[in-house]
């Protein structure tokens, strides 16, 4: 990754540039009044080639930067979308947690009420068994006193 990043800032990346490189602008046409211009000097031709290579390299780098900028913009939009989705999920979780808290509080109230009713229920059970025992004792007494066997 580091070599890829460093290749953005070096002039040697012109050879690895995509085939859709922009062409440099054409040179201005020779003036029509001057027909017998002297041939350019070799040093000027070398400088021209150097400048042309630098210009092409700069164009390639600009193209790469635009491409990377497009990729970064796409990633930022994906990140923003994911952040919004996570915010919605977090809000849903918060709402569910609040509802669960309310249910737990209501359950606590119901348990307290059941605990309070437990003592009265125990009283009714004891009364039921005592009355049943008394009825059976009375029935046994009557049966024993008036039985012919």
């Amino acid at each position: 990754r580091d070599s890829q990043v460093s290749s953005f800032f070096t002039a040697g990346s012109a050879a690895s540039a995509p085939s859709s490189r922009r062409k440099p602008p054409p040179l201005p046409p020779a003036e029509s009044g001057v027909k017998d211009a002297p041939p350019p000097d070799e040093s000027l031709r070398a400088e021209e080639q150097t400048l042309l290579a630098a210009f092409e390299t700069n164009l390639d780098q600009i193209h790469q930067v635009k491409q990377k900028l497009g990729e970064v913009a796409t990633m930022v939009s994906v990140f923003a979308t994911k952040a919004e989705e996570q915010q919605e999920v977090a809000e849903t979780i918060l709402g569910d947690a609040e509802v669960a808290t309310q249910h737990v509080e209501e359950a606590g109230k119901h348990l307290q009420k059941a605990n309070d009713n437990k003592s009265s229920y125990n009283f009714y059970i004891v009364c039921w068994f005592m009355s049943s025992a008394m009825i059976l004792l009375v029935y046994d007494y009557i049966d024993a006193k008036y039985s012919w066997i």
Side-chain angles (χ1 to χ4, degrees):
R1 176 90 178 129
D2 291 334
S3 65
Q4 183 183 9
V5 171
S6 65
S7 71
F8 295 141
F9 303 105
T10 60
S13 66
S16 65
S19 63
S20 64
R21 296 190 309 197
R22 293 185 183 176
K23 301 277 183 180
L27 295 174
E31 295 179 15
S32 60
V34 180
K35 293 183 180 176
D36 295 327
D41 189 35
E42 285 299 318
S43 64
L44 289 177
R45 282 202 183 271
E47 185 179 353
E48 176 186 349
Q49 292 299 321
T50 304
L51 289 174
L52 182 63
F55 181 72
E56 287 177 351
T57 302
N58 288 342
L59 280 178
D60 292 340
Q61 287 178 350
I62 289 171
H63 178 67
Q64 289 175 351
V65 167
K66 283 183 180 179
Q67 184 180 12
K68 293 297 178 182
L69 185 61
E71 292 175 5
V72 168
T74 303
M75 285 190 261
V76 167
S77 67
V78 168
F79 177 74
T81 304
K82 294 298 181 183
E84 288 176 8
E85 289 175 3
Q86 287 181 353
Q87 181 182 4
E88 291 173 3
V89 169
E91 288 174 357
T92 303
I93 291 171
L94 178 64
D96 291 344
E98 290 173 354
V99 168
T101 302
Q102 290 173 354
H103 289 309
V104 167
E105 289 172 358
E106 290 176 12
K109 290 177 186 176
H110 287 293
L111 286 174
Q112 184 63 35
K113 187 175 179 182
N115 195 22
D116 293 342
N117 291 337
K118 178 183 167 187
S119 60
S120 64
Y121 179 74
N122 286 341
F123 174 74
Y124 290 125
I125 295 291
V126 168
C127 288
W128 167 258
F129 282 120
M130 292 298 288
S131 62
S132 296
M134 292 302 284
I135 290 172
L136 287 175
L137 282 174
V138 169
Y139 177 73
D140 186 48
Y141 176 74
I142 293 174
D143 186 43
K145 187 170 188 174
Y146 296 108
S147 170
W148 60 86
I149 301 180

Coordinates of all heavy atoms in Angstrom, one line a residue, residues 49-84:
Q49 N 11.5 17.6 -25.0 CA 11.1 16.2 -24.6 C 11.0 16.1 -23.1 O 10.1 15.4 -22.6 CB 12.2 15.2 -25.1 CG 12.2 15.1 -26.6 CD 10.9 14.6 -27.2 OE1 10.2 13.7 -26.6 NE2 10.5 15.1 -28.3
T50 N 11.9 16.8 -22.4 CA 11.8 16.7 -20.9 C 10.5 17.4 -20.4 O 9.8 16.9 -19.6 CB 13.0 17.4 -20.3 OG1 14.2 16.8 -20.8 CG2 13.0 17.4 -18.8
L51 N 10.2 18.6 -21.0 CA 9.0 19.3 -20.6 C 7.7 18.5 -21.0 O 6.7 18.4 -20.3 CB 8.9 20.7 -21.3 CG 9.9 21.7 -20.7 CD1 9.9 23.0 -21.5 CD2 9.6 21.9 -19.2
L52 N 7.8 17.8 -22.2 CA 6.6 17.0 -22.7 C 6.4 15.8 -21.7 O 5.3 15.5 -21.4 CB 6.9 16.5 -24.1 CG 5.8 15.7 -24.7 CD1 4.5 16.5 -24.9 CD2 6.2 15.2 -26.1
A53 N 7.5 15.2 -21.3 CA 7.4 14.1 -20.4 C 6.9 14.5 -19.0 O 6.0 13.8 -18.4 CB 8.8 13.4 -20.2
A54 N 7.3 15.7 -18.6 CA 6.9 16.2 -17.3 C 5.4 16.5 -17.4 O 4.6 16.3 -16.5 CB 7.7 17.4 -16.9
F55 N 5.0 17.1 -18.5 CA 3.6 17.5 -18.7 C 2.7 16.2 -18.8 O 1.6 16.2 -18.1 CB 3.4 18.3 -20.1 CG 2.0 18.7 -20.4 CD1 1.5 19.7 -19.6 CD2 1.3 18.1 -21.4 CE1 0.2 20.1 -19.9 CE2 0.0 18.5 -21.7 CZ -0.6 19.5 -20.9
E56 N 3.1 15.2 -19.5 CA 2.4 14.0 -19.5 C 2.3 13.3 -18.1 O 1.3 12.8 -17.7 CB 3.0 13.0 -20.5 CG 2.8 13.4 -22.0 CD 3.4 12.5 -22.9 OE1 4.2 11.6 -22.5 OE2 3.2 12.6 -24.1
T57 N 3.4 13.4 -17.4 CA 3.4 12.8 -16.1 C 2.4 13.6 -15.2 O 1.7 12.9 -14.4 CB 4.8 12.9 -15.5 OG1 5.7 12.1 -16.3 CG2 4.9 12.3 -14.1
N58 N 2.4 14.9 -15.3 CA 1.5 15.7 -14.5 C 0.1 15.4 -14.8 O -0.8 15.3 -14.0 CB 1.8 17.2 -14.6 CG 3.1 17.6 -13.9 OD1 3.6 16.9 -13.1 ND2 3.6 18.7 -14.3
L59 N -0.2 15.2 -16.1 CA -1.6 14.9 -16.5 C -2.0 13.5 -16.0 O -3.1 13.3 -15.6 CB -1.7 14.9 -18.1 CG -1.8 16.3 -18.7 CD1 -1.9 16.1 -20.2 CD2 -3.1 17.0 -18.3
D60 N -1.1 12.6 -16.1 CA -1.3 11.2 -15.5 C -1.6 11.3 -14.0 O -2.6 10.7 -13.5 CB -0.2 10.3 -15.8 CG 0.0 10.0 -17.3 OD1 -1.0 10.2 -18.0 OD2 1.1 9.5 -17.7
Q61 N -0.8 12.1 -13.3 CA -1.0 12.2 -11.9 C -2.3 12.9 -11.6 O -3.1 12.5 -10.6 CB 0.1 12.9 -11.2 CG 1.4 12.1 -11.2 CD 2.6 12.9 -10.6 OE1 2.5 14.1 -10.4 NE2 3.7 12.2 -10.3
I62 N -2.7 13.9 -12.4 CA -4.0 14.5 -12.1 C -5.1 13.6 -12.4 O -6.1 13.5 -11.6 CB -4.1 15.8 -13.1 CG1 -3.2 16.9 -12.6 CG2 -5.5 16.3 -13.1 CD1 -3.1 18.1 -13.6
H63 N -5.0 12.8 -13.4 CA -6.0 11.8 -13.7 C -6.2 10.7 -12.6 O -7.3 10.4 -12.1 CB -5.7 11.0 -15.0 CG -6.7 10.0 -15.4 ND1 -8.0 10.2 -15.7 CD2 -6.6 8.6 -15.4 CE1 -8.6 9.1 -16.0 NE2 -7.8 8.1 -15.8
Q64 N -5.0 10.3 -12.0 CA -5.0 9.4 -10.9 C -5.6 10.0 -9.7 O -6.4 9.4 -9.0 CB -3.6 8.9 -10.6 CG -3.1 7.9 -11.7 CD -1.6 7.6 -11.4 OE1 -1.0 8.1 -10.5 NE2 -1.1 6.6 -12.2
V65 N -5.3 11.3 -9.4 CA -5.9 11.9 -8.3 C -7.4 12.1 -8.4 O -8.1 11.9 -7.4 CB -5.2 13.3 -8.1 CG1 -6.0 14.2 -7.1 CG2 -3.8 13.1 -7.6
K66 N -7.9 12.4 -9.6 CA -9.3 12.5 -9.8 C -10.0 11.2 -9.6 O -11.0 11.1 -9.0 CB -9.6 13.0 -11.2 CG -9.4 14.5 -11.4 CD -9.8 14.9 -12.8 CE -9.6 16.4 -13.1 NZ -10.0 16.7 -14.4
Q67 N -9.3 10.1 -10.1 CA -9.9 8.8 -9.9 C -9.9 8.4 -8.4 O -10.9 7.9 -7.9 CB -9.0 7.7 -10.6 CG -9.6 6.3 -10.6 CD -8.7 5.4 -11.4 OE1 -7.6 5.7 -11.8 NE2 -9.2 4.2 -11.6
K68 N -8.8 8.7 -7.7 CA -8.8 8.4 -6.2 C -9.8 9.2 -5.5 O -10.4 8.8 -4.5 CB -7.4 8.6 -5.7 CG -6.4 7.6 -6.2 CD -6.7 6.2 -5.8 CE -5.7 5.2 -6.4 NZ -6.0 3.9 -6.1
L69 N -10.0 10.5 -5.9 CA -10.9 11.4 -5.3 C -12.3 10.8 -5.5 O -13.2 10.9 -4.5 CB -10.8 12.8 -5.8 CG -11.7 13.8 -5.2 CD1 -11.3 14.0 -3.7 CD2 -11.5 15.2 -5.9
G70 N -12.6 10.3 -6.6 CA -13.9 9.7 -6.9 C -14.1 8.5 -6.0 O -15.2 8.3 -5.4
E71 N -13.1 7.7 -5.8 CA -13.2 6.5 -4.9 C -13.4 6.9 -3.5 O -14.2 6.3 -2.7 CB -11.9 5.7 -5.0 CG -11.7 5.0 -6.4 CD -10.4 4.2 -6.5 OE1 -9.7 4.2 -5.5 OE2 -10.1 3.7 -7.6
V72 N -12.7 8.0 -3.1 CA -12.8 8.5 -1.7 C -14.3 9.0 -1.5 O -14.9 8.8 -0.4 CB -11.8 9.5 -1.4 CG1 -12.1 10.3 -0.1 CG2 -10.4 8.9 -1.3
A73 N -14.8 9.7 -2.5 CA -16.2 10.2 -2.4 C -17.2 9.1 -2.2 O -18.1 9.2 -1.5 CB -16.5 11.1 -3.6
T74 N -16.9 8.0 -3.0 CA -17.8 6.9 -2.9 C -17.7 6.2 -1.5 O -18.8 5.9 -0.9 CB -17.4 5.8 -4.0 OG1 -17.5 6.4 -5.3 CG2 -18.3 4.6 -3.9
M75 N -16.5 6.1 -1.0 CA -16.3 5.5 0.3 C -17.0 6.4 1.4 O -17.6 5.9 2.4 CB -14.9 5.3 0.6 CG -14.3 4.2 -0.1 SD -12.6 3.8 0.5 CE -11.6 4.6 -0.7
V76 N -16.9 7.7 1.3 CA -17.5 8.6 2.2 C -19.0 8.5 2.2 O -19.7 8.5 3.3 CB -17.0 10.1 2.0 CG1 -17.9 11.1 2.8 CG2 -15.6 10.2 2.4
S77 N -19.6 8.4 1.0 CA -21.0 8.2 0.9 C -21.5 6.9 1.5 O -22.5 6.8 2.2 CB -21.5 8.3 -0.5 OG -21.0 7.3 -1.3
V78 N -20.7 5.8 1.3 CA -21.0 4.5 1.9 C -20.9 4.6 3.4 O -21.8 4.1 4.2 CB -20.1 3.4 1.4 CG1 -20.2 2.1 2.2 CG2 -20.4 3.1 -0.1
F79 N -19.9 5.3 3.9 CA -19.7 5.5 5.3 C -20.9 6.2 5.9 O -21.4 5.9 7.0 CB -18.4 6.2 5.6 CG -18.1 6.5 7.0 CD1 -17.8 5.5 7.9 CD2 -18.2 7.8 7.5 CE1 -17.5 5.8 9.3 CE2 -18.0 8.1 8.9 CZ -17.7 7.0 9.7
A80 N -21.3 7.3 5.3 CA -22.4 8.1 5.8 C -23.7 7.2 5.8 O -24.5 7.3 6.8 CB -22.7 9.3 4.9
T81 N -23.9 6.4 4.8 CA -25.1 5.5 4.8 C -25.0 4.5 5.9 O -26.0 4.3 6.6 CB -25.1 4.8 3.4 OG1 -25.2 5.7 2.4 CG2 -26.4 3.9 3.4
K82 N -23.9 3.9 6.1 CA -23.7 3.0 7.2 C -23.9 3.7 8.6 O -24.5 3.1 9.5 CB -22.3 2.3 7.2 CG -22.2 1.4 6.0 CD -23.1 0.3 6.0 CE -22.9 -0.6 4.7 NZ -23.9 -1.7 4.7
A83 N -23.4 4.9 8.7 CA -23.6 5.6 10.0 C -25.1 5.9 10.3 O -25.5 5.8 11.4 CB -22.8 6.9 9.9
E84 N -25.8 6.3 9.2 CA -27.2 6.5 9.4 C -28.0 5.2 9.8 O -28.8 5.2 10.6 CB -27.8 7.0 8.1 CG -27.5 8.5 7.8 CD -28.0 8.9 6.4 OE1 -28.8 8.2 5.8 OE2 -27.6 10.0 6.0

